[in-house]
Amino acid sequence: MSGPLYVPVLPARRHAARAYGSLPPDARRAVLPLWVLPPRTLAAEALTGAVGKDLRRVTTVQRHRPAWLDAPFADAEQIRALGPLLSDTSRDSPLRPVTGPGRPAPQQALALETAHHAGDGLGVRVPVPREWDDGETGKVRELLSRARGEDVDLLLDLGAVLPERTEAGKEALRALADLVPLAPWRTVVTIGGGIPRVGEEMLMPGLHETPRTEWRLWRELAAGRAAPAPLGYGDYGIQPVDALDRDPQDGNARSRWGMLRCTTDETYVFTRTLNGREAHNREAARRLLALPGFRGPAAGPAETWLRDCAEGTGGAGNHEMWLRTGTGQHLTYVARCLRA
């Protein structure tokens, strides 16, 4: 695989799994997702079924391609449901378990045990949502001491990286300087979320743009001398960082509006969609097709869907399709930029 490693943080939800599964082969080879199991608030029997469905969805779409699996929101009940499921699949699964400093002891123990039995390494996800805390170094060192010689991957998660966070680069460099010497890391990746929460201005008619701040940050880090080489790139795709915190039971189906999204070289572009308003949604797709950075239907299934929507030869979509299309277009675009 040429180019830096691309690690998007994706929810273990149907729209994301289908978007990843439909990527063009060249883009898919460049993408190693960090799948995140959602929080669940269900009774014990229903919880086991829901968690098992989440896990099967991701395992199926990954097949024999490696990726990471994280359960950062798992409470004691979800850990109890997840443990036997991971034990049954760990030796045949391409998913590498993830944990991190400060996680609840049961979550750390489950990830470490799964990594030991699967034998394909452990992801260590270290959050840096604000200024880097030197005290995290000791916590990571202690966690590594319990990894029993497994291959380890450093997933430095900067959280939301928006324009107002001007010190994110310095924070990342400080964290890397402390963490990289701790282990012979198989992979070192910085992850940031550049999508803001939806504000009133995004709900107005027309196109709205926001800079890809986390993309600019990574390019500066990767080009500098202080960061390790090669330094992988990670992002949160086309949704805000806190979108992962939502229980799937809450859903989007009750909302009357959604978004069509398109990633370009320097910006994310949004335009509002409305449930049941076909003409409005086709016009929204036409706006994206007119962007100078739009690569056209030959780029992949997501771009083809947008073309068909705009021209009236395909459906106008719903919340799941809008998310699936935006995710697929984004993953394809970033993968090819990294391979260029």
Side-chain angles (χ1 to χ4, degrees), residues 70-247:
D70 197 4
F73 312 112
D75 57 15
E77 290 295 325
Q78 193 167 347
I79 289 293
R80 278 194 285 272
L82 188 57
L85 294 171
L86 289 178
S87 178
D88 290 342
T89 62
S90 62
R91 291 193 179 276
D92 300 319
S93 173
L95 301 174
R96 302 163 179 169
V98 173
T99 190
R103 298 281 185 94
Q107 196 279 330
Q108 289 186 342
L110 177 60
L112 288 163
E113 190 65 21
T114 302
H116 177 66
H117 286 294
D120 195 29
L122 174 75
V124 180
R125 189 176 177 188
V126 182
V128 189
R130 292 171 294 278
E131 184 177 353
W132 170 242
D133 180 359
D134 297 341
E136 294 296 292
T137 307
K139 297 178 184 177
V140 174
R141 183 183 292 111
E142 190 275 333
L143 184 60
L144 291 171
S145 72
R146 298 159 55 199
R148 299 194 237 181
E150 307 295 342
D151 289 330
V152 285
D153 305 300
L154 175 58
L155 308 170
L156 189 70
D157 190 348
L158 301 172
V161 182
L162 303 176
E164 58 269 22
R165 192 176 172 189
T166 57
E167 299 296 306
K170 293 180 180 178
E171 295 160 8
L173 287 174
R174 287 182 58 204
L176 290 169
D178 285 351
L179 298 174
V180 169
L182 297 182
W185 302 101
R186 174 174 54 183
T187 304
V188 179
V189 178
T190 60
I191 300 170
I195 300 288
R197 296 177 183 174
V198 174
E200 290 185 10
E201 69 283 357
M202 293 185 189
L203 299 180
M204 301 298 290
L207 294 177
H208 307 279
E209 295 185 73
T210 188
R212 292 176 62 196
T213 313
E214 84 292 358
W215 176 242
R216 296 178 187 177
L217 169 64
W218 175 81
R219 286 189 297 179
E220 292 171 3
L221 291 173
R225 296 182 178 180
L231 179 65
Y233 170 74
D235 61 33
Y236 277 78
I238 60 158
Q239 291 187 281
V241 170
D242 60 3
L244 292 170
D245 302 1
R246 300 171 193 160
D247 190 321

Side-chain angles (χ1 to χ4, degrees), residues 301-333:
E303 289 82 355
T304 301
W305 186 90
L306 285 168
R307 188 274 311 274
D308 293 346
C309 175
E311 295 183 352
T313 57
N318 54 26
H319 281 284
E320 180 175 321
M321 181 55 74
W322 299 328
L323 282 172
R324 175 181 171 181
T325 300
T327 299
Q329 188 272 335
H330 175 81
L331 296 180
T332 302
Y333 197 95

